[in-house]
């Protein structure tokens, strides 16, 4: 019941937050990281048919979809999709309504998947089944990329509480004065890599000051996940660096 209440609350919160959602990207201390992520994303999807899960207002879609063959950006909320539709998007982009947990009605298979700032809002108990659902929409060899927040004191919203399963929650206030408890997890590298399962190969963890990214390819039959090099070895970018906080 707790997970279901959290999911329903999250949908309501983001529907109400839609008009002010993108203000989070104006934080001065995050600008260098944001530019680095915008530059880093497109190469992973070049020439691929991609499903984007929980695209929200479509802030990341124009950056990530550059060079993609076909891009289906999905979200459950009409309010956020309306904002995404108002934007100038690459010609390859289509928008559609879909529940991120079931992806019901989404025709696959795709050869890539992207989710920005969604992983952190999935209850830990639902993460394995959600990843299985996503993987079922993908071809063997598909490329998967997740990006999300690193918790940074003074920039991130403080953690208000944790539940018995280890999920963390924040108290957030919208412009209308309403206060909402929002599930927001901040996984460590080892936790995220363990979660993606035995079909993942070539896993790479990238960490900037305010954000992390996990990129891997989907194997066919189950196999043992390759060991990752020491943290930091994958961060070889020229500069430092959905749903955000």
């Amino acid at each position: 019941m707790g997970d279901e209440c959290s999911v329903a609350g999250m949908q309501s919160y983001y529907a109400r937050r839609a008009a002010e959602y993108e203000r989070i990207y104006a934080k001065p201390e995050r600008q260098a990281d944001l530019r680095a992520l915008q530059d880093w994303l497109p190469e992973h999807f070049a020439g691929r048919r991609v499903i984007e899960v929980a695209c929200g207002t479509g802030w990341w879609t124009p950056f990530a979809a550059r060079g993609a063959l076909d891009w289906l950006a999905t979200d459950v909320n009409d309010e956020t999709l309306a904002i995404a539709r108002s934007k100038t998007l690459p010609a390859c982009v289509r928008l559609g309504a879909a529940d991120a947990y079931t992806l019901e009605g989404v025709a696959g298979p795709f050869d890539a998947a992207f989710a920005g700032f969604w992983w952190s809002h999935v209850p830990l108990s639902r993460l394995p089944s959600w990843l299985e659902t996503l993987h079922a929409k993908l071809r063997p060899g598909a490329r998967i990329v997740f990006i999300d927040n690193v918790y940074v004191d003074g920039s991130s919203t403080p953690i208000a509480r944790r539940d018995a399963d280890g999920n963390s929650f924040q108290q957030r206030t919208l412009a209308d004065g309403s206060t909402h408890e929002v599930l927001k997890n901040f996984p460590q590298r080892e936790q995220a890599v363990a979660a993606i399962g035995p079909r993942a190969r070539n896993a790479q963890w990238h960490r900037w000051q305010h954000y992390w990214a996990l990129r891997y390819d989907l194997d066919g039959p189950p196999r043992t996940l390759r060991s990752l090099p020491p943290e930091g070895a994958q961060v070889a970018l020229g500069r430092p660096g959905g749903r955000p906080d």
Side-chain angles (χ1 to χ4, degrees):
M1 178 177 293
D3 282 357
E4 294 305 321
C5 290
S6 296
V7 170
M10 285 292 300
Q11 291 181 5
S12 174
Y13 166 74
Y14 275 104
R16 296 181 66 169
R17 187 186 169 189
E20 60 187 272
Y21 172 76
E22 295 189 2
R23 297 176 189 174
I24 192 70
Y25 294 115
K27 287 195 171 188
E29 72 274 15
R30 301 187 183 186
Q31 297 310 301
D33 283 12
L34 289 171
R35 301 295 86 77
L37 272 170
Q38 289 166 11
D39 292 342
W40 179 81
L41 278 171
E43 66 180 273
H44 303 292
F45 304 114
R48 292 178 181 263
R49 185 167 180 252
V50 186
I51 178 171
E52 180 180 1
V53 178
C55 70
T57 60
W59 198 88
W60 286 97
T61 309
F63 307 111
R66 294 198 309 261
L69 178 65
D70 181 69
W71 189 283
L72 176 60
T74 66
D75 200 84
V76 72
N77 282 325
D78 292 336
E79 293 85 352
T80 52
L81 283 173
I83 294 173
R85 289 191 180 98
S86 72
K87 300 184 176 198
T88 300
L89 299 170
C92 65
V93 174
R94 298 174 290 129
L95 294 165
D99 184 331
Y101 283 106
T102 66
L103 298 178
E104 185 176 357
V106 175
F110 299 87
D111 53 18
F114 171 64
F117 306 94
W118 166 250
W119 178 298
S120 57
H121 295 309
V122 179
L124 294 174
S125 63
R126 297 191 69 168
L127 192 56
S129 62
W130 174 69
L131 286 166
E132 287 182 8
T133 297
L134 178 63
H135 290 169
K137 294 290 183 180
L138 305 175
R139 294 187 178 95
R143 169 71 44 78
I144 300 99
V145 177
F146 301 117
I147 61 174
D148 221 305
N149 292 95
V150 171
Y151 185 86
V152 178
D153 283 328
S155 183
S156 302
T157 303
I159 301 298
R161 73 174 181 93
R162 300 182 189 274
D163 67 14
D165 293 329
N167 295 293
S168 55
F169 298 82
Q170 299 170 328
Q171 289 290 331
R172 301 185 183 178
T173 302
L174 296 179
D176 62 8
S178 61
T179 301
H180 305 261
E181 183 176 73
V182 176
L183 185 152
K184 181 73 174 180
N185 288 320
F186 298 90
Q188 297 298 311
R189 169 178 172 269
E190 293 76 12
Q191 295 170 309
V193 171
I196 57 180
R199 291 186 63 192
R201 59 183 175 86
N202 302 325
Q204 297 180 14
W205 174 266
H206 299 259
R207 188 183 187 279
W208 297 270
Q209 182 178 1
H210 296 276
Y211 305 105
W212 59 263
L214 177 60
R215 194 220 81 171
Y216 61 97
D217 299 327
L218 192 67
D219 208 352
R223 59 179 289 173
T224 302
L225 183 66
R226 290 186 180 182
S227 298
L228 281 174
E231 185 167 0
Q234 296 294 340
V235 184
L237 302 178
R239 43 180 167 160
R243 302 189 188 259
D245 259 4

